[in-house]
Amino acid sequence: MNILIIGSGGREHALAWKMKNSPLSDQIYITPGNPGTASIGINLYGEWKDFDALKNAIIQYRIGMVVIGPEDPLVLGLTDYLEENFSHEQLIVIGPTKESAQLEGSKSYAKIFMQENEIPTSKYESFQLENISEAFAYIDKMNTPIVVKADGLAGGKGVVICPSKEEARIEVKNMMDGKFEAAGKKVILEEFLSGREFSLFILTDGETYKILPLAKDYKKIGEGDSGPNTGGMGAISPVPFVDDKLMDKVVTKIIEPTMNGLKKRSLKYHGFIFFGLIEVNGDPYVIEYNCRLGDPETEVVMPRMHSDLVAHLKALHDGNLRHEIILIEDQEAATVMLVSGGYPGNYEKNKPINIPADLPDSIIFHAGTTLDNSNKLVTNGGRVIAVSSLGNTIEEALKKSYTSIKKISFEGMNYRKDIGTF
């Protein structure tokens, strides 16, 4: 079966890397892909927003399965479009419908969903641009710090933790004035939850589900979790502080009610659900939903999956997911993200990247790279390279990643040196 992966980042590179090894996969195509995915499959350079062009590519390259990596095409309805143009027998589409993707596309939608299904989450209120005075009045009643979120998609940067009420008012105004364009025209004000965050992924057909390896990502730009949020500076898997007791609570209080909520709303969901969770005094709370795999968590989850991902996805499509068994490697994994200088603020692109041809202890996943006019590898984004490694312990995996990083360079390269330490 020929497989098409939609996306261009580290998540898509990790998916291609994993799916390439399946006996069910023939040719892997990636659109638009990056230089890393080009070493695994064939990049189809094009614009995913052109749904008709994608349809033609699926026909031309005899694609049997489409896996949609990023959130934007899901929220814009790519799954719905493909299912309208191809029959169930013709094409396997992995990704929720436009309505289901609102779990990520609108934070207020997700909060209402959680309230309806009694899923533990922080207290909140949402406010439109025309109600900014009401937002300010609500801030006056809140305890600090205050979490300000853009309602829509903001590339992982739409969450700001404000230490003071004055900073919260400034952030609300900045968002409503266009800091995140249309995504911030509605804002969410949340109480701050103090605890330990972790990421959980399930693969679901809307009826049953399978749990993938747990991960913990590190969102802040600086050591000690300092500075602004990024799209993710690294990740580890498994998560040391998540024990069986906590996982039992996650299943009964969060996963099962989420599945029941999908059914109550008659939402079609064929794909991954990401649960951004936080453990507070032994209990799990939902910070956010994503309607796809996370990045950089995918770069530690895929190396730890021993079973055949393509087989799992095909079983989901065929209605046989309940019979699947997710096999997980005993080894542990860590990834460290190499980012451009200045990220998550302004940064320069087109910086030459030096990567040795042989880094035997690590897996290199390209996130924001491209080739220049001379066919040389250069930076093309804020997050540039994910360096992932396996080891008998998290510490061993991290040591391998950091050793490999010393052999990689580009101008302005920055990375966190404390991934996995808390």
Side-chain angles (χ1 to χ4, degrees):
M1 167 170 48
N2 292 340
I3 298 170
L4 175 62
I5 300 171
I6 310 291
S8 63
R11 167 184 48 233
E12 289 74 38
H13 189 177
L15 284 169
W17 173 85
K18 176 62 179 174
M19 299 174 82
K20 179 70 174 177
N21 296 323
S22 170
L24 296 177
S25 69
D26 292 319
Q27 182 63 60
I28 304 287
Y29 295 91
I30 312 94
T31 184
N34 62 44
T37 61
S39 68
I40 293 172
I42 298 174
N43 287 347
L44 302 178
Y45 296 104
E47 177 52 69
W48 62 257
K49 290 182 182 178
D50 188 341
F51 287 6
D52 288 339
L54 277 179
K55 179 183 74 172
N56 293 335
I58 289 167
I59 296 169
Q60 178 181 351
Y61 297 104
R62 300 179 180 179
I63 303 297
M65 176 186 292
V66 174
V67 180
I68 305 171
E71 60 272 28
D72 292 58
L74 294 168
V75 171
L76 291 174
L78 179 55
T79 293
D80 308 69
Y81 174 87
L82 294 176
E83 291 182 344
E84 288 167 4
N85 283 274
F86 297 92
S87 70
H88 186 82
E89 291 72 29
Q90 288 175 311
L91 187 67
I92 298 171
V93 182
I94 303 301
T97 61
K98 182 177 182 178
E99 173 67 17
S100 300
Q102 286 302 301
L103 284 173
E104 178 172 6
S106 170
K107 291 180 176 62
S108 56
Y109 180 103
K111 284 288 193 180
I112 292 168
F113 179 91
M114 284 184 263
Q115 283 185 328
E116 285 179 356
N117 296 286
E118 299 181 347
I119 297 166
T121 189
S122 59
K123 296 177 183 176
Y124 83 103
E125 287 290 342
S126 62
F127 300 91
Q128 302 273 14
L129 175 60
E130 59 268 22
N131 304 122
I132 190 168
S133 59
E134 294 178 19
F136 288 171
Y138 187 74
I139 287 171
D140 289 336
K141 301 174 185 176
M142 298 180 74
N143 295 322
T144 56
I146 296 169
V147 182
V148 183
K149 293 183 177 181
D151 182 65
L153 300 178
K157 302 172 192 174
V159 179
V160 180
I161 300 171
C162 300
S164 70
K165 294 182 179 182
E166 179 59 27
E167 288 172 273
R169 283 188 283 268
I170 292 170
E171 191 56 46
V172 166
K173 187 175 188 308
N174 287 342
M175 287 190 186
M176 289 185 172
D177 283 347
K179 178 180 179 179
F180 299 116
E181 299 180 349
K185 296 304 180 184
K186 178 190 283 189
V187 299
I188 310 297
L189 294 172
E190 283 187 1
E191 69 170 341
F192 177 78
L193 295 177
S194 180
R196 298 181 290 186
E197 295 184 30
F198 61 104
S199 304
L200 180 141
F201 304 93
I202 64 170
L203 180 62
T204 182
D205 57 6
E207 295 288 335
T208 60
Y209 65 91
K210 297 293 177 178
I211 299 175
L212 276 61
L214 292 178
K216 174 175 174 55
D217 79 325
Y218 295 78
K219 294 183 176 67
K220 298 286 190 177
I221 186 65
E223 274 83 22
D225 254 10
S226 60
N229 274 345
T230 71
M233 294 295 292
I236 59 171
S237 178
V239 183
F241 60 82
V242 180
D243 57 17
D244 290 344
K245 183 178 180 181
L246 180 56
M247 270 305 298
D248 287 344
K249 291 181 179 179
V250 169
V251 170
T252 57
K253 295 185 176 184
I254 293 172
I255 300 178
E256 294 288 356
T258 296
M259 295 301 301
N260 290 335
L262 294 177
K263 295 170 190 175
K264 282 194 293 185
R265 288 198 175 199
S266 299
L267 295 175
K268 182 177 180 182
Y269 206 114
H270 281 192
F272 301 98
I273 301 179
F274 163 99
F275 299 82
L277 303 176
I278 186 168
E279 176 262 323
V280 181
N281 298 322
D283 290 317
Y285 292 76
V286 177
I287 298 174
E288 64 176 350
Y289 288 113
N290 287 170
C291 55
R292 35 76 194 185
L293 287 172
D295 190 342
E297 294 99 330
T298 308
E299 289 93 310
V300 289
V301 168
M302 288 300 113
R304 292 196 66 224
M305 277 191 65
H306 184 66
S307 49
D308 186 344
L309 178 61
V310 177
H312 297 324
L313 298 180
K314 185 178 185 302
L316 181 158
H317 180 78
D318 293 341
N320 296 319
L321 181 63
R322 63 188 180 279
H323 300 305
E324 293 294 292
I325 299 174
I326 305 287
L327 301 177
I328 301 173
E329 296 280 5
D330 290 334
Q331 286 191 305
E332 304 188 355
T335 193
V336 180
M337 189 67 69
L338 310 182
V339 305
S340 296
Y343 176 80
N346 295 327
Y347 58 87
E348 295 181 358
K349 298 182 181 181
N350 299 312
K351 302 297 183 182
I353 305 170
N354 298 305
I355 303 177
D358 186 24
L359 288 173
D361 291 331
S362 299
I363 310 163
I364 304 301
F365 294 120
H366 290 233
T369 69
T370 191
L371 300 177
D372 65 11
N373 293 333
S374 302
N375 212 36
K376 298 289 181 61
L377 187 68
V378 296
T379 65
N380 192 44
R383 296 187 302 156
V384 180
I385 295 285
V387 182
S388 297
S389 306
L390 290 167
N392 293 323
T393 63
I394 294 291
E395 292 75 18
E396 182 181 317
L398 282 164
K399 183 177 180 180
K400 290 180 180 179
S401 287
Y402 283 121
T403 298
S404 296
I405 285 169
K406 293 177 181 178
K407 302 173 184 177
I408 302 171
S409 64
F410 57 86
E411 183 183 331
M413 187 177 89
N414 182 35
Y415 59 95
R416 277 185 60 167
K417 300 170 184 63
D418 64 344
I419 299 300
T421 56
F422 54 88

mmCIF file of all heavy atoms in Angstrom, residues 297-314:
data_model
loop_
_atom_site.group_PDB
_atom_site.id
_atom_site.type_symbol
_atom_site.label_atom_id
_atom_site.label_comp_id
_atom_site.label_asym_id
_atom_site.label_seq_id
_atom_site.Cartn_x
_atom_site.Cartn_y
_atom_site.Cartn_z
ATOM 1 N N GLU A 297 6.793 15.154 20.966
ATOM 2 C CA GLU A 297 6.536 13.863 21.595
ATOM 3 C C GLU A 297 6.584 12.702 20.604
ATOM 4 O O GLU A 297 7.008 11.594 20.951
ATOM 5 C CB GLU A 297 5.173 13.872 22.303
ATOM 6 C CG GLU A 297 5.090 14.806 23.490
ATOM 7 C CD GLU A 297 4.426 16.120 23.132
ATOM 8 O OE1 GLU A 297 4.540 16.547 21.960
ATOM 9 O OE2 GLU A 297 3.793 16.714 24.013
ATOM 10 N N THR A 298 6.128 12.929 19.375
ATOM 11 C CA THR A 298 6.143 11.855 18.377
ATOM 12 C C THR A 298 7.553 11.313 18.181
ATOM 13 O O THR A 298 7.738 10.116 17.919
ATOM 14 C CB THR A 298 5.592 12.358 17.032
ATOM 15 O OG1 THR A 298 4.325 12.967 17.257
ATOM 16 C CG2 THR A 298 5.432 11.231 16.040
ATOM 17 N N GLU A 299 8.547 12.185 18.340
ATOM 18 C CA GLU A 299 9.934 11.777 18.114
ATOM 19 C C GLU A 299 10.488 10.885 19.224
ATOM 20 O O GLU A 299 11.567 10.299 19.071
ATOM 21 C CB GLU A 299 10.830 13.017 17.963
ATOM 22 C CG GLU A 299 10.609 13.764 16.665
ATOM 23 C CD GLU A 299 9.593 14.887 16.758
ATOM 24 O OE1 GLU A 299 8.474 14.634 17.274
ATOM 25 O OE2 GLU A 299 9.886 16.009 16.330
ATOM 26 N N VAL A 300 9.746 10.760 20.358
ATOM 27 C CA VAL A 300 10.128 9.761 21.361
ATOM 28 C C VAL A 300 9.129 8.610 21.422
ATOM 29 O O VAL A 300 9.487 7.499 21.829
ATOM 30 C CB VAL A 300 10.300 10.374 22.776
ATOM 31 C CG1 VAL A 300 11.542 11.234 22.838
ATOM 32 C CG2 VAL A 300 9.077 11.132 23.234
ATOM 33 N N VAL A 301 7.899 8.862 21.017
ATOM 34 C CA VAL A 301 6.878 7.800 21.039
ATOM 35 C C VAL A 301 7.125 6.781 19.929
ATOM 36 O O VAL A 301 7.066 5.564 20.149
ATOM 37 C CB VAL A 301 5.469 8.417 20.927
ATOM 38 C CG1 VAL A 301 4.419 7.330 20.659
ATOM 39 C CG2 VAL A 301 5.115 9.171 22.205
ATOM 40 N N MET A 302 7.401 7.255 18.708
ATOM 41 C CA MET A 302 7.592 6.324 17.586
ATOM 42 C C MET A 302 8.776 5.373 17.794
ATOM 43 O O MET A 302 8.646 4.171 17.538
ATOM 44 C CB MET A 302 7.744 7.099 16.274
ATOM 45 C CG MET A 302 6.459 7.732 15.764
ATOM 46 S SD MET A 302 5.140 6.533 15.443
ATOM 47 C CE MET A 302 3.943 6.989 16.716
ATOM 48 N N PRO A 303 9.935 5.839 18.268
ATOM 49 C CA PRO A 303 11.027 4.899 18.509
ATOM 50 C C PRO A 303 10.718 3.839 19.560
ATOM 51 O O PRO A 303 11.339 2.774 19.567
ATOM 52 C CB PRO A 303 12.178 5.811 18.971
ATOM 53 C CG PRO A 303 11.904 7.123 18.330
ATOM 54 C CD PRO A 303 10.403 7.241 18.374
ATOM 55 N N ARG A 304 9.757 4.125 20.452
ATOM 56 C CA ARG A 304 9.424 3.151 21.504
ATOM 57 C C ARG A 304 8.310 2.194 21.092
ATOM 58 O O ARG A 304 8.036 1.222 21.807
ATOM 59 C CB ARG A 304 9.009 3.878 22.793
ATOM 60 C CG ARG A 304 10.162 4.628 23.462
ATOM 61 C CD ARG A 304 9.807 4.988 24.903
ATOM 62 N NE ARG A 304 9.661 3.783 25.714
ATOM 63 C CZ ARG A 304 8.679 3.577 26.581
ATOM 64 N NH1 ARG A 304 7.696 4.478 26.718
ATOM 65 N NH2 ARG A 304 8.631 2.473 27.287
ATOM 66 N N MET A 305 7.669 2.450 19.958
ATOM 67 C CA MET A 305 6.622 1.530 19.486
ATOM 68 C C MET A 305 7.259 0.363 18.743
ATOM 69 O O MET A 305 7.921 0.538 17.727
ATOM 70 C CB MET A 305 5.645 2.260 18.568
ATOM 71 C CG MET A 305 4.571 3.019 19.301
ATOM 72 S SD MET A 305 3.268 3.602 18.179
ATOM 73 C CE MET A 305 2.579 2.044 17.607
ATOM 74 N N HIS A 306 7.063 -0.828 19.290
ATOM 75 C CA HIS A 306 7.642 -2.035 18.675
ATOM 76 C C HIS A 306 6.701 -2.635 17.637
ATOM 77 O O HIS A 306 7.140 -3.282 16.687
ATOM 78 C CB HIS A 306 7.954 -3.071 19.766
ATOM 79 C CG HIS A 306 8.627 -4.297 19.258
ATOM 80 N ND1 HIS A 306 9.900 -4.285 18.723
ATOM 81 C CD2 HIS A 306 8.208 -5.588 19.186
ATOM 82 C CE1 HIS A 306 10.230 -5.514 18.351
ATOM 83 N NE2 HIS A 306 9.224 -6.325 18.619
ATOM 84 N N SER A 307 5.412 -2.419 17.801
ATOM 85 C CA SER A 307 4.440 -3.012 16.877
ATOM 86 C C SER A 307 4.281 -2.159 15.626
ATOM 87 O O SER A 307 4.828 -1.056 15.514
ATOM 88 C CB SER A 307 3.091 -3.209 17.580
ATOM 89 O OG SER A 307 2.690 -2.031 18.257
ATOM 90 N N ASP A 308 3.517 -2.694 14.668
ATOM 91 C CA ASP A 308 3.396 -2.128 13.325
ATOM 92 C C ASP A 308 2.323 -1.029 13.302
ATOM 93 O O ASP A 308 1.129 -1.313 13.368
ATOM 94 C CB ASP A 308 3.030 -3.259 12.352
ATOM 95 C CG ASP A 308 3.004 -2.826 10.898
ATOM 96 O OD1 ASP A 308 2.974 -1.611 10.628
ATOM 97 O OD2 ASP A 308 3.023 -3.704 10.024
ATOM 98 N N LEU A 309 2.750 0.224 13.192
ATOM 99 C CA LEU A 309 1.813 1.340 13.192
ATOM 100 C C LEU A 309 0.856 1.268 12.010
ATOM 101 O O LEU A 309 -0.345 1.538 12.153
ATOM 102 C CB LEU A 309 2.569 2.670 13.175
ATOM 103 C CG LEU A 309 1.707 3.935 13.118
ATOM 104 C CD1 LEU A 309 0.791 4.028 14.333
ATOM 105 C CD2 LEU A 309 2.576 5.180 13.002
ATOM 106 N N VAL A 310 1.359 0.912 10.845
ATOM 107 C CA VAL A 310 0.496 0.837 9.660
ATOM 108 C C VAL A 310 -0.600 -0.210 9.868
ATOM 109 O O VAL A 310 -1.765 0.018 9.518
ATOM 110 C CB VAL A 310 1.316 0.527 8.400
ATOM 111 C CG1 VAL A 310 0.402 0.382 7.185
ATOM 112 C CG2 VAL A 310 2.352 1.622 8.141
ATOM 113 N N ALA A 311 -0.233 -1.339 10.461
ATOM 114 C CA ALA A 311 -1.229 -2.385 10.740
ATOM 115 C C ALA A 311 -2.292 -1.865 11.711
ATOM 116 O O ALA A 311 -3.486 -2.155 11.548
ATOM 117 C CB ALA A 311 -0.548 -3.627 11.305
ATOM 118 N N HIS A 312 -1.876 -1.104 12.715
ATOM 119 C CA HIS A 312 -2.844 -0.535 13.667
ATOM 120 C C HIS A 312 -3.802 0.422 12.961
ATOM 121 O O HIS A 312 -5.010 0.418 13.218
ATOM 122 C CB HIS A 312 -2.110 0.221 14.778
ATOM 123 C CG HIS A 312 -1.222 -0.630 15.631
ATOM 124 N ND1 HIS A 312 -1.530 -1.930 15.972
ATOM 125 C CD2 HIS A 312 -0.024 -0.357 16.232
ATOM 126 C CE1 HIS A 312 -0.574 -2.425 16.734
ATOM 127 N NE2 HIS A 312 0.347 -1.493 16.899
ATOM 128 N N LEU A 313 -3.266 1.251 12.063
ATOM 129 C CA LEU A 313 -4.098 2.235 11.362
ATOM 130 C C LEU A 313 -5.072 1.551 10.407
ATOM 131 O O LEU A 313 -6.225 1.963 10.276
ATOM 132 C CB LEU A 313 -3.214 3.227 10.614
ATOM 133 C CG LEU A 313 -2.277 4.070 11.489
ATOM 134 C CD1 LEU A 313 -1.445 5.015 10.624
ATOM 135 C CD2 LEU A 313 -3.036 4.849 12.546
ATOM 136 N N LYS A 314 -4.609 0.508 9.752
ATOM 137 C CA LYS A 314 -5.495 -0.248 8.847
ATOM 138 C C LYS A 314 -6.605 -0.929 9.649
ATOM 139 O O LYS A 314 -7.775 -0.936 9.235
ATOM 140 C CB LYS A 314 -4.705 -1.278 8.057
ATOM 141 C CG LYS A 314 -5.542 -2.024 7.012
ATOM 142 C CD LYS A 314 -4.702 -2.995 6.222
ATOM 143 C CE LYS A 314 -5.536 -3.638 5.091
ATOM 144 N NZ LYS A 314 -6.744 -4.340 5.611
#
